[in-house]
Amino acid sequence: MQLLYTVNSPYARKVRIVAIEKHVDLTLTSVVLSAADCPVSLYNPLGKVPVLVLDDGEALYDSRVIVEYLDHRTPVAHLIPQDPLAKIKVRRWEALADGVCDAAVAVMQEQRKAEPLQSGAWIQKQMEKVIAGLTALDNDLLKKKWCVNETFSLADIALGTTLGYIDLRFKSTQLEGKYWQEKFPSLAKHYGVLIKRPSFKQTMPQP
Ligand SMILES: N[C@@H](CCC(=O)N[C@@H](CS)C(=O)NCC(=O)O)C(=O)O
């Protein structure tokens, strides 16, 4: 199985971490989305990474579909619980964490435009989503060891990859007057635990 990914995509990192945690071997193919010969749109009409190309040539996307597929590939500890209510809770964490990434990615894309073409109002609106999302995640986590049911799961992975992306993009940016680790102490503490895992270490984003 081949994973098409970009090094700093938080969605692709989520998939890579799930594969490592599940001991599923993937052939990793790093792509440049802006390159003329980028293969991604051959497999995903939306032109987005991650894409998982199966051995029979079928392609799976997006990250939420791929992680579910990988979680079923091996019987070792499930990252998505079998119990329906626990599964919904995990996927809700993932939805919110991914949503924070969507807004953060939108900010970066806007800031990459030439300055006269940038919309300050759009950036502000997306930053409000980033802060509201992180606030909700921080409140939900509080002093819990893991996000859902005292067990490491996809919820922790999705949260960790989102925080990795926030750290990559906004490490030296104050969010309403504070750096993210000061503003969201529960998240910062949990991030400190997660980045000690080999799966997180092996997939660190590149500044
Ligand atoms: N919901 C998708 C989001 C994927 C996504 O937005 N990926 C970005 C990279 S971080 C991308 O490929 N962007 C290219 C584009 O939008 O054309 C997922 O979870 O896989």
Side-chain angles (χ1 to χ4, degrees):
M1 287 184 291
Q2 179 187 204
L3 183 74
L4 305 181
Y5 77 106
T6 57
V7 183
N8 287 336
S9 164
Y11 316 100
R13 187 177 180 214
K14 179 176 53 164
V15 168
R16 288 157 66 206
I17 290 174
V18 166
I20 294 169
E21 296 282 350
K22 294 288 297 183
H23 306 287
V24 176
D25 281 334
L26 296 180
T27 302
L28 296 177
T29 303
S30 170
V31 299
V32 176
L33 289 167
S34 57
D37 60 351
C38 178
V40 168
S41 52
L42 298 176
Y43 296 103
N44 178 354
L46 302 175
K48 295 184 181 201
V49 288
V51 178
L52 183 68
V53 185
L54 304 182
D55 293 341
D56 64 3
E58 194 185 339
L60 298 183
Y61 44 81
D62 61 4
S63 66
R64 296 182 207 183
V65 173
I66 301 172
V67 294
E68 184 144 0
Y69 176 80
L70 294 177
D71 198 40
H72 283 101
R73 284 283 297 192
T74 62
V76 294
H78 277 291
L79 296 168
I80 302 173
Q82 311 283 70
D83 169 66
L85 189 58
K87 174 177 174 169
I88 293 293
K89 283 186 186 170
V90 164
R91 301 239 84 162
R92 178 182 175 274
W93 273 88
E94 183 189 23
L96 184 52
D98 280 9
V100 169
C101 280
D102 293 344
V105 167
V107 169
M108 293 312 298
Q109 285 172 343
E110 192 68 14
Q111 287 175 336
R112 281 186 183 141
K113 292 180 182 168
E115 215 160 326
L117 298 176
Q118 290 179 20
S119 162
W122 172 254
I123 291 174
Q124 192 187 331
K125 188 174 170 189
Q126 298 306 318
M127 283 310 296
E128 282 167 10
K129 290 180 196 284
V130 169
I131 292 169
L134 291 174
T135 302
L137 291 166
D138 195 58
N139 290 340
D140 281 356
L141 190 62
L142 273 181
K143 296 194 183 337
K144 280 190 259 171
K145 183 167 183 223
W146 303 113
C147 297
V148 177
N149 288 0
E150 306 294 322
T151 312
F152 177 72
S153 73
L154 174 65
D156 301 281
I157 296 173
L159 177 61
T161 53
T162 292
L163 295 176
Y165 190 74
I166 293 295
D167 199 53
L168 176 74
R169 299 299 185 206
F170 303 117
K171 195 183 191 78
S172 47
T173 305
Q174 294 206 340
L175 308 174
E176 295 177 342
K178 287 184 179 169
Y179 295 109
W180 79 265
Q181 295 95 333
E182 301 161 10
K183 191 164 171 62
F184 304 110
S186 299
L187 296 182
K189 188 163 173 256
H190 199 47
Y191 185 60
V193 171
L194 291 170
I195 58 174
K196 292 198 178 88
R197 296 180 82 86
S199 58
F200 276 77
K201 280 190 189 157
Q202 285 171 39
T203 56
M204 265 309 186
Q206 310 291 317

